Amino acid sequence: MSVVEFAQVSHAFGEREVLRDITLRLAEHRIGIVGANGSGKSTLARMINGLVTPDVGRVTVDGLDVGRRGREVRRRVGFVFTNPDNQIVMPTVREDVAFTLRGRGLSAAEISTRTDAALDRFGLAGHAEHPSHRLSGGQKQLLALAAVLVAEPAIVVADEPTTLLDARNGRRIGALLAGLPQQVIVVTHQLELLPAFDRVIVIDEGRVAADATPAVALAAYDALLA
């Protein structure tokens, strides 16, 4: 597995401090991050691939400083947003998946082969020429996953990937993420996704409030909400 490290990380948006003195080493296969709205959990996740850089401290991925070597890091870290419309950029499903592979030194044949394999893997082969933004919500999130995973990242970070989905599609996306061979870091309010994970981190008011096995960490989270 890859290793993500936060060393005394703090960050503020304007005068609002959202993370305070976070030190973590993330090396497990499946890691969940939970917390109330505004707790700082999404900011923490976005630091892993450089969408946000810390004001204080350092974030590294396999020893690469995210702030200084962001491009290399982003090739190792795939990011799945809450709303797939925020990352679908091309007009058709096939074009959107293929777009991820541009600029990676691959031949047209290699891009085509890998794109077809990704579409087949996520049940989208029959929608290859379909307008991307006319897919259902569940299909859009599958497309977002396909477009991330076609690049074969070492780490997949997903920020509340099931929030906008109905229960059936939420379970499907959750199961897909949990079954990936890559290291998976999921920010979620859907606590039912987490019991089989290796570790759960609870963020409260910008700090780590609990960090343990799912049963222990989720019990601590319930206590915070009580």
Side-chain angles (χ1 to χ4, degrees):
M1 288 292 111
S2 291
V3 178
V4 179
E5 294 188 272
F6 292 77
Q8 297 179 305
V9 167
S10 296
H11 189 74
F13 293 113
E15 296 183 357
R16 187 171 71 89
E17 192 173 36
V18 293
L19 292 175
R20 290 179 279 178
D21 197 27
I22 299 286
T23 295
L24 290 167
R25 185 178 189 273
L26 309 180
E28 293 80 5
H29 184 185
R30 294 172 295 184
I31 300 168
I33 301 175
V34 301
N37 290 334
S39 63
K41 61 187 185 300
S42 288
T43 300
L44 185 78
R46 288 170 183 239
M47 285 184 173
I48 297 172
N49 78 333
L51 288 170
V52 178
T53 54
D55 296 329
V56 177
R58 186 169 179 249
V59 181
T60 60
V61 175
D62 294 331
L64 300 173
D65 188 306
V66 173
R68 296 179 180 179
R69 301 175 71 177
R71 184 171 182 178
E72 291 172 78
V73 168
R74 280 186 282 277
R75 291 210 170 192
R76 296 191 62 76
V77 181
F79 198 95
V80 180
F81 290 85
T82 306
N83 186 345
D85 285 320
N86 291 338
Q87 64 191 101
I88 293 172
V89 296
M90 299 299 286
T92 70
V93 169
R94 194 172 199 286
E95 289 172 315
D96 197 71
V97 175
F99 181 77
T100 305
L101 298 175
R102 289 185 183 178
R104 292 176 180 259
L106 300 175
S107 69
E110 288 173 308
I111 291 174
S112 180
T113 297
R114 285 175 62 170
T115 297
D116 288 342
L119 292 174
D120 187 61
R121 178 183 182 185
F122 290 96
L124 294 170
H127 300 275
E129 304 307 322
H130 197 85
S132 302
H133 289 282
R134 293 186 184 175
L135 295 172
S136 69
Q139 289 170 331
K140 285 181 181 180
Q141 198 59 284
L142 287 169
L143 173 56
L145 270 172
V148 165
L149 291 169
V150 73
E152 300 177 353
I155 305 170
V156 177
V157 180
D159 186 10
E160 300 187 32
T162 62
T163 296
L164 300 181
L165 302 179
D166 60 33
R168 181 176 64 84
N169 281 307
R171 287 192 296 270
R172 182 181 186 188
I173 297 297
L176 281 169
L177 286 167
L180 292 176
Q182 287 96 338
Q183 184 177 21
V184 175
I185 301 170
V186 179
V187 176
T188 186
H189 287 293
Q190 311 299 118
L191 305 186
E192 63 272 17
L193 300 178
L194 302 176
F197 275 41
D198 302 300
R199 177 180 177 187
V200 171
I201 298 164
V202 180
I203 304 296
D204 184 54
E205 296 184 352
R207 295 185 184 276
V208 176
D211 180 2
T213 61
V216 173
L218 293 176
Y221 184 42
D222 285 340
L224 281 173
L225 299 176

